[in-house]
Amino acid sequence: MNSPKDEADFASRVLNALSTTPSSIPNVQVDDSRARNAAGCMTEFLCARLAGSGIEIEPVERSTFRWSDGYVNIRNSVKAFSWTNLRLTFVQGFEALSADKPAVYMFTAWQPDNLGCHVWAVPAGIVHGVLSLLPVGQLKDKRTVTIFPEKNVFQQCQDSPDLSPYYRNMVWSQDERAKLVEAAKIDEASRRRNRGEDTTTTGSDMDDGTD
């Protein structure tokens, strides 16, 4: 069984791998009929950065990947802070998957007017340890995770651990950001169509927190 130190070391390696600016980006297609393109592009770019370290990254399911000797679950938010829901059934499966391997939850937050992207690679053991203290989501089998970069704690979580050791302000390359901005605009247009609004009106509702 992996130890807290194993997971902390793995989290550090994940963050270090993300810090290298890529010379090129994956060819990611956006779909103007859906509204989570930016979050999907972020996942592709984060995975490409991990793979750029020379260590292959392998998809496991949805937003979970195997990298190096452990597992990474990626949860992106297109907003100023990180927000996501954790299903208890997913957590149980992730615990079983990583029973003898280090694992992290990668929570991110990015706004289209910024080059920087807030990234937390939090050891799974820390997340699972506070699960019962996190707010219950709209459904009883969900727990809501919210992290503000200026605070580096789990919001509405009594005795939250300090998350600053697991935080980095990663900088997108110009090519990555250009593609992300394109995707975010398409997402916003798609949401406005779904609401029956004029797509020429600007807005700021670009939340793509992953369930």
Side-chain angles (χ1 to χ4, degrees):
M1 179 177 293
N2 54 284
S3 67
K5 183 180 183 303
D6 292 333
E7 288 203 323
D9 289 344
F10 181 65
S12 180
R13 284 187 281 134
V14 168
L15 291 170
N16 288 338
L18 293 177
S19 66
T20 301
T21 303
S23 57
S24 61
I25 64 172
N27 181 21
V28 184
Q29 300 297 317
V30 295
D31 181 353
D32 61 8
S33 67
R34 56 190 292 267
R36 288 200 172 187
N37 289 285
C41 285
M42 289 170 71
T43 296
E44 292 286 344
F45 294 159
L46 292 165
C47 287
R49 284 187 174 225
L50 290 175
S53 66
I55 301 174
E56 184 178 358
I57 186 164
E58 305 171 15
V60 177
E61 59 177 354
R62 295 191 62 184
S63 57
T64 298
F65 302 86
R66 176 163 184 156
W67 179 77
S68 186
D69 59 341
Y71 294 93
V72 180
N73 179 251
I74 301 176
R75 292 170 176 269
N76 300 317
S77 297
V78 183
K79 60 194 326 176
F81 56 91
S82 177
W83 178 92
T84 188
N85 281 314
L86 289 175
R87 289 183 182 272
L88 299 183
T89 51
F90 169 82
V91 171
Q92 292 168 359
F94 195 53
E95 281 187 295
L97 178 69
S98 59
D100 59 350
K101 301 288 184 183
V104 299
Y105 288 90
M106 185 188 296
F107 304 109
T108 74
W110 168 74
Q111 287 185 297
D113 57 349
N114 290 335
L115 262 178
C117 177
H118 302 292
V119 180
W120 295 265
V122 184
I126 290 179
V127 178
H128 299 160
V130 301
L131 202 63
S132 64
L133 304 176
L134 295 173
V136 177
Q138 290 184 341
L139 299 178
K140 290 184 178 180
D141 71 333
K142 289 184 177 183
R143 297 297 180 269
T144 301
V145 177
T146 306
I147 312 171
F148 290 93
E150 64 272 17
K151 296 184 177 180
N152 276 312
V153 294
F154 294 119
Q155 294 297 300
Q156 296 180 278
C157 176
Q158 186 176 9
D159 298 324
S160 170
D162 178 16
L163 302 180
S164 57
Y166 314 112
Y167 168 77
R168 295 283 174 86
N169 186 10
M170 187 191 77
V171 179
W172 297 117
S173 70
Q174 292 291 344
D175 288 342
E176 286 173 325
R177 180 176 179 272
K179 189 67 177 183
L180 287 169
V181 169
E182 174 193 353
K185 289 179 178 178
I186 290 173
D187 291 345
E188 179 65 4
S190 177
R191 273 187 287 268
R192 289 187 178 280
R193 280 197 304 273
N194 291 339
R195 293 194 298 258
E197 295 179 11
D198 182 359
T199 60
T200 62
T201 304
T202 58
S204 59
D205 180 19
M206 291 189 175
D207 176 20
D208 280 303
T210 307
D211 286 349

